Each structure stands twice: as C-alpha cells, then as structure tokens.
C-alpha cells in the first residue's frame, strides 16, 4: 500500500507530524508538507497512492491551507478520491466524507487549540488540548496501515479519557458515544 500524507505548514497543526514521523524513510510513503502546497502537486500525487492522509485545517467544504486561505481538496476532487482510502484529520471532515460517501475515517469538529476550546465553552487548558492532540496522533500513527474499519474501531477504543473534556467533545463530534 502506498500512502500519501498531505500536511500544510501551520503552527496550530504542527502536532500532526506525529502521525507520519515514523514513516519518513519508508519507500511506500510520500509526504507533502510545507508552505504554499500546490493543488496540482496533490492531484498528481493522488494518482499513485492507495491511501491519502490529510492533516490540518478544513471545513465541510474540503481540506485547506488556511494560512493561504484556499482549499487544496474539494468536491472537484471526488473522481480521484472515490477509489482511495482516505483519512481526514481536519475539523468537520466527517460532513465532507458523509456527503460524498467516501471510504474514509474522518474527524468531526476537533478542538485542537485554545481558541476552539473557548468557542465551544470548553476548558481553556493547553495541557488538556496537548494531551488530546498527542493521543489522537499517536493512535493514528500506530494504525495508519490498518483497514479504515479497523482505524475507526481503534480510535473508538483508544481515544478515550474519563477526565478530559476536550477528548469527550471530540469523540462526540466523531459520532462516538461516551
């Protein structure tokens, strides 16, 4: 299986590099990261990979480079994405995935920074947010080569905390009962 990771440079999602850090030297892995990623580069890379992992910011309309205020993946890319396994780690990716019936694991609204916690009346506690971010990234890294169903099951079982309201909120947004 050939995996493509797409992770635009953004200090607020830098923690996402945990997901692919152990795979930097793998022959079957391509990582597109940095500033000013071009849509054409992603579209070309999509062709030769079986699984695509998007890490960063987005909305129900798609995956983006929010520093540049532009989408990198939208419904215009469905023809390519339909035949791929996709992992979408961006806010409200689940709406995008469900709307277009993609074979994917996707997060819902995912509180990963203080301003988001404030918006949702959650504790503005960086240590709770950091723990949540790190736990999710470590889980995804460990099971990145598993089937989409197994990834969903693993996240459901392991992305849990009795005392972390950030994790509780994120799980609810992914459709997991607590």
């Amino acid at each position: 299986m050939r995996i493509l990771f797409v992770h635009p440079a953004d200090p607020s999602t830098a923690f996402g590099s945990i997901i692919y850090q152990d795979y930097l030297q793998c022959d079957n892995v391509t990582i597109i990261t940095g500033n000013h990623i071009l849509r054409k580069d992603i579209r070309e890379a999509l062709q030769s990979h079986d699984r695509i992992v998007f890490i960063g910011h987005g909305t129900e309309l798609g995956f983006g480079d929010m520093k540049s205020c532009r989408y990198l993946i939208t419904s215009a890319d469905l023809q390519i994405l339909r035949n791929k396994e996709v992992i979408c780690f961006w806010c409200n990716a689940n709406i995008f995935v469900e709307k277009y019936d993609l074979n994917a694991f996707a997060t819902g609204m995912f509180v990963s920074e203080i301003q988001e916690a404030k918006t949702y009346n959650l504790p503005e506690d960086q240590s709770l947010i950091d723990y949540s971010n790190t736990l999710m990234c470590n889980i995804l890294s460990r099971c990145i080569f598993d089937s989409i169903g197994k990834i969903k099951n693993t996240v459901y079982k392991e992305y849990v905390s009795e005392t972390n309201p950030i994790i509780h909120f994120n799980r609810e947004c992914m459709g997991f009962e607590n």
Side-chain angles (χ1 to χ4, degrees):
M1 174 186 311
R2 292 189 41 80
I3 297 182
L4 170 65
F5 292 92
V6 182
H7 185 200
D10 185 322
S12 69
T13 66
F15 64 88
S17 66
I18 293 168
I19 300 170
Y20 54 84
Q21 205 62 47
D22 290 342
Y23 306 108
L24 295 172
Q25 303 303 317
C26 293
D27 291 337
N28 58 339
V29 169
T30 303
I31 300 166
I32 298 177
T33 190
N35 294 308
H36 310 293
I37 296 172
L38 300 177
R39 265 182 62 81
K40 74 174 188 65
D41 292 342
I42 295 172
R43 289 183 64 89
E44 286 174 16
L46 289 174
Q47 301 294 337
S48 61
H49 292 81
D50 308 299
R51 175 169 290 169
I52 317 302
V53 183
F54 298 107
I55 305 164
H57 290 294
T59 70
E60 65 278 358
L61 300 176
F63 176 71
D65 178 349
M66 296 307 154
K67 284 177 63 177
S68 299
C69 298
R70 63 192 173 92
Y71 285 99
L72 298 172
I73 294 293
T74 66
S75 60
D77 302 298
L78 291 176
Q79 181 109 357
I80 299 169
L81 294 176
R82 288 228 185 273
N83 300 319
K84 307 292 179 180
E85 294 179 343
V86 186
I87 297 172
C88 302
F89 188 18
W90 79 74
C91 290
N92 299 313
N94 59 337
I95 298 169
F96 181 83
V97 163
E98 289 169 15
K99 181 176 183 178
Y100 298 112
D101 194 30
L102 298 176
N103 181 20
F105 167 78
T107 55
M109 178 59 212
F110 194 90
V111 171
S112 64
E113 52 189 312
I114 291 287
Q115 185 56 45
E116 292 169 337
K118 185 176 185 175
T119 298
Y120 292 98
N121 296 316
L122 294 165
E124 297 173 43
D125 183 331
Q126 192 64 52
S127 66
L128 292 174
I129 293 168
D130 290 345
Y131 180 78
S132 168
N133 292 345
T134 301
L135 179 60
M136 177 60 105
C137 290
N138 282 327
I139 292 167
L140 288 175
S141 178
R142 223 178 40 256
C143 64
I144 205 74
F145 287 95
D146 292 345
S147 70
I148 295 296
K150 189 167 183 183
I151 291 170
K152 289 177 184 177
N153 191 47
T154 301
V155 172
Y156 174 77
K157 287 180 180 176
E158 296 183 20
Y159 182 67
V160 179
S161 172
E162 295 293 322
T163 59
N164 188 322
I166 306 296
I167 291 174
H168 180 78
F169 177 87
N170 290 343
R171 282 179 56 85
E172 281 184 358
C173 291
M174 284 187 271
F176 297 151
E177 296 178 27
N178 287 298

